[in-house]
Amino acid sequence: MGFVYALAAYLSWGLVVPVHFRLLGQFTPAYILAERIIWSGLFVGALVLVWRARLRNPFPLRPRHALLVASALLIAVNWLLYLQAVKAGHLLDASLGYYINPLVSVGLGRLVLGERLRPLQLVAVAIAASGVGVAVVWAGDLPLISLSLALTFALYGLIRKVVGVDPTLGLLAETLILAPFCAAWLWQAPEPFLPPEPRALVLLLLTGITTALPLIWFAAAAERLRLATLGLMQYIAPTCLLILSVLVFGERVEPQRIVMLALIWLALVLYGLDAVRTGRAAHRP
């Protein structure tokens, strides 16, 4: 189920979310961020009421649950950076950030959680890292937006794995932490909280769903999968984003990104072969 949850989250982030927020291009990134947090909180609150008998109750509160304050701030920064990239038509920069992110996740899994990689997994990670390095060096500058996206989301994934709270309740806590600040910002914003145009209103309401569900799926996957596996699976989202930006939105893909993509998918094939081989060995009598 961890694999299924991760796949659902990454496909949503790679295909559904960028199209959704591109359709909200008339609004500023800060306005969309505030709206999506408010509507996400309401949507997740409704899910908690419906699923309350199936959720793992976090009480009594433990010291590590305070880390949800940090995860809330990290995901808010990550969302804002992503929305700015979409608004500016820089989906390729966003995709590069999410290509770098799995490498950060693998590193955090090794340094913080003590996760060990088997030899073929180490080779796969090294190949993926070389692909990202080629793209960065070839471009000739340090992609600050991409690096910021990678670091904030990798730290978010680490905290959600460590905190050990139910994915839905954790997301509800995060949105409740952020909601007062969003409400205060919307109070003084020039745009109305409920826009009069029906199409824009519906698209804003739907941000609650397209924001909350992938995050719930991601948190559920983070609890069930090793951080290294979760990180390498994340290449699904930026690959979809890269294809979408080129085929649908007409952005130009540089040669270094093609080289990076080829190396990363080679790494994924090696990582997958190692997982299959290890799984077969574990099931032998």
Side-chain angles (χ1 to χ4, degrees):
M1 285 306 299
F3 176 83
V4 174
Y5 284 132
L7 188 62
Y10 293 144
L11 287 176
S12 298
W13 282 326
L15 296 174
V16 178
V17 172
V19 173
H20 185 183
F21 291 120
R22 193 72 175 240
L23 294 174
L24 288 166
Q26 72 268 39
F27 299 111
T28 64
Y31 175 80
I32 298 173
L33 175 65
E35 289 270 343
R36 75 185 293 195
I37 289 172
I38 295 293
W39 295 119
S40 298
L42 293 173
F43 176 69
V44 177
L47 287 182
V48 169
L49 290 176
V50 173
W51 293 347
R52 59 185 180 276
R54 296 162 49 189
L55 301 178
R56 297 196 311 275
N57 196 315
F59 295 99
L61 291 176
R62 305 181 189 281
R64 67 173 183 270
H65 291 157
L67 289 172
L68 288 172
V69 176
S71 67
L73 295 175
L74 284 168
I75 200 61
V77 172
N78 184 272
W79 285 347
L80 184 59
L81 290 170
Y82 179 79
L83 286 168
Q84 288 175 334
V86 172
K87 176 76 173 179
H90 294 159
L91 284 178
L92 287 177
D93 288 335
S95 71
L96 179 58
Y98 292 116
Y99 273 120
I100 298 172
N101 170 258
L103 303 176
V104 181
S105 292
V106 170
L108 290 173
R110 180 68 184 92
L111 294 174
V112 180
L113 303 179
E115 295 180 353
R116 295 187 176 276
L117 297 177
R118 293 182 291 274
L120 192 57
Q121 291 177 324
L122 282 171
V123 172
V125 171
I127 291 173
S130 67
V132 174
V134 165
V136 172
V137 173
W138 201 331
D141 58 359
L142 197 63
L144 292 179
I145 292 180
S146 302
L147 291 174
S148 300
L149 283 169
L151 183 60
T152 52
F153 198 74
L155 289 171
Y156 175 79
L158 173 65
I159 290 175
R160 289 308 302 265
K161 184 174 183 66
V162 170
V163 76
V165 72
D166 184 274
T168 308
L169 290 174
L171 182 54
L172 178 61
E174 289 168 346
T175 54
L176 290 177
I177 291 167
L178 297 171
F181 303 99
C182 296
W185 191 92
L186 288 170
W187 181 264
Q188 56 80 45
E191 300 98 333
F193 174 62
L194 298 175
E197 183 186 358
R199 176 179 177 273
L201 178 59
V202 170
L203 286 172
L204 285 172
L205 291 174
L206 288 175
T207 59
I209 298 175
T210 58
T211 296
L213 285 182
L215 274 176
I216 292 172
W217 293 332
F218 173 79
E223 284 191 297
R224 292 165 172 80
L225 298 176
R226 298 172 69 236
L227 205 59
T229 303
L230 187 69
L232 284 175
M233 279 191 69
Q234 190 172 331
Y235 284 124
I236 295 169
T239 299
C240 293
L241 195 59
L242 178 64
I243 294 170
L244 193 67
S245 64
V246 173
L247 297 183
V248 178
F249 299 121
E251 291 189 52
R252 180 179 173 273
V253 58
E254 298 90 351
Q256 67 268 24
R257 306 250 177 153
I258 298 175
V259 174
M260 176 187 68
L261 188 61
L263 289 173
I264 283 172
W265 278 100
L266 173 60
L268 286 176
V269 169
L270 292 176
Y271 200 90
L273 288 174
D274 180 82
V276 170
R277 185 180 65 181
T278 304
R280 287 176 177 173
H283 287 88
R284 285 175 189 158

